[in-house]
Amino acid sequence: MKLALMQPYFFPYLGYWQLIHAADCFVLFDDVQYMKQGWINRNRILKPDKGWQYFGFPVKKHSMSDLIKNVYVHMEVDWPKRVLGQLAHYKLKTPYYHEVIAHVQEVLSNLDTINVTMLNYRILRHFCEVLKLDREIIISSDQKYDYRNVNETGEWALRISEQMNATEYINPVRGAGLYSAEKFDASNIKLSFLQMNPVEYQQHAAFEPSLSLLDVLMFQGVEGTKNYLTEYRIDGPPQE
């Protein structure tokens, strides 16, 4: 079983969805500290003219030490309306705006008290169905993993992989330095890294890479976006 693990991101970029594609089981890892100014409650889309802007949602007041699973979405603010407003300019320049915005409206409607994990899980499940990504997606805090033998950052994934009886763990290549191939080998787990192939599509301006999946969908539609899900390669640990 191929396992991948990432924190729950808000409408994440294409590489995140490629990682889901590469795995048999994908773990939303919410048992660690919530970090401000990351990707959990925001992502990037185009500005109306040029360049990019953040879009996202506010969170309720919480302690700096709170884990992701214990941070809640601030629903007293009508942030879904603001998100839809930030996406409105795509209507003038993209062929798939109406199709995509209908999905965004659906997934952001009828929200009640909800933590950041469940909001991002809801988004992830919805767009996996849209993209026909039939993968098992689980939330780490639901599994009650034993983390007593985690001594450094790279061991979270190792201990989860052991407890999931995974035969292979796949991580984005940019995080390769955190992991020990020797430790994974000792547990009979193959350590692999996903490297995205260069992906560029017409945005009617200078190309802005690594934006939210919504940007890809707006310009390329569901079928075009599905073609990009396989634009990656899986390698072993980088040679030192």
Side-chain angles (χ1 to χ4, degrees), residues 14 18 196-201 207-210 216 228 231-232:
L14 182 63
Q18 291 180 339
M196 289 185 68
N197 296 335
V199 169
E200 186 169 330
Y201 48 91
F207 183 69
E208 293 285 351
S210 300
V216 189
Y228 290 137
E231 288 296 321
Y232 63 83

Side-chain angles (χ1 to χ4, degrees), residues 153-168:
T153 302
E155 292 183 353
W156 293 100
L158 174 59
R159 302 310 171 203
I160 291 174
S161 297
E162 290 171 342
Q163 292 169 67
M164 291 290 294
N165 294 315
T167 56
E168 182 176 1

Side-chain angles (χ1 to χ4, degrees), residues 44-61:
R44 302 186 307 140
I45 55 173
L46 291 177
K47 285 183 176 180
D49 47 4
K50 61 180 180 179
W52 58 265
Q53 62 180 318
Y54 286 115
F55 76 119
F57 62 88
V59 298
K60 289 187 175 182
K61 187 176 181 180

Side-chain angles (χ1 to χ4, degrees), residues 169-230:
Y169 173 73
I170 307 172
N171 198 79
V173 70
R174 66 179 180 274
L178 297 174
Y179 299 94
S180 166
E182 290 76 15
K183 290 181 180 180
F184 277 83
D185 286 343
S187 294
N188 294 314
I189 300 169
K190 182 180 179 181
L191 178 61
S192 300
F193 295 97
L194 184 146
Q195 174 66 64
M196 289 185 68
N197 296 335
V199 169
E200 186 169 330
Y201 48 91
Q202 181 62 47
Q203 292 176 331
H204 304 307
F207 183 69
E208 293 285 351
S210 300
L211 300 184
S212 165
L213 178 80
L214 294 181
D215 187 80
V216 189
L217 286 166
M218 291 284 193
F219 285 100
Q220 299 295 302
V222 171
E223 293 306 314
T225 302
K226 284 165 64 176
N227 291 334
Y228 290 137
L229 294 177
T230 57

Side-chain angles (χ1 to χ4, degrees), residues 8-35:
Y9 288 174
F10 182 68
F11 288 108
Y13 82 120
L14 182 63
Y16 194 105
W17 302 89
Q18 291 180 339
L19 192 63
I20 296 174
H21 180 276
D24 299 312
C25 179
F26 187 82
V27 179
L28 282 181
F29 185 44
D30 66 345
D31 285 321
V32 288
Q33 183 179 346
Y34 176 89
M35 301 297 290

Side-chain angles (χ1 to χ4, degrees), residues 41 57-60 71-77 79-80 111-120:
N41 74 315
F57 62 88
V59 298
K60 289 187 175 182
V71 176
Y72 282 78
V73 181
H74 193 344
M75 291 308 302
E76 286 72 29
V77 177
W79 60 267
L111 296 176
D112 202 346
T113 302
I114 190 170
N115 66 11
V116 298
T117 300
M118 290 310 300
L119 172 61
N120 290 336

Side-chain angles (χ1 to χ4, degrees), residues 79-98:
W79 60 267
K81 181 178 180 180
R82 185 174 66 238
V83 165
L84 294 170
Q86 287 181 278
L87 291 167
H89 71 90
Y90 280 92
K91 182 178 180 179
L92 303 175
K93 67 180 75 171
T94 67
Y96 299 100
Y97 169 81
H98 292 289

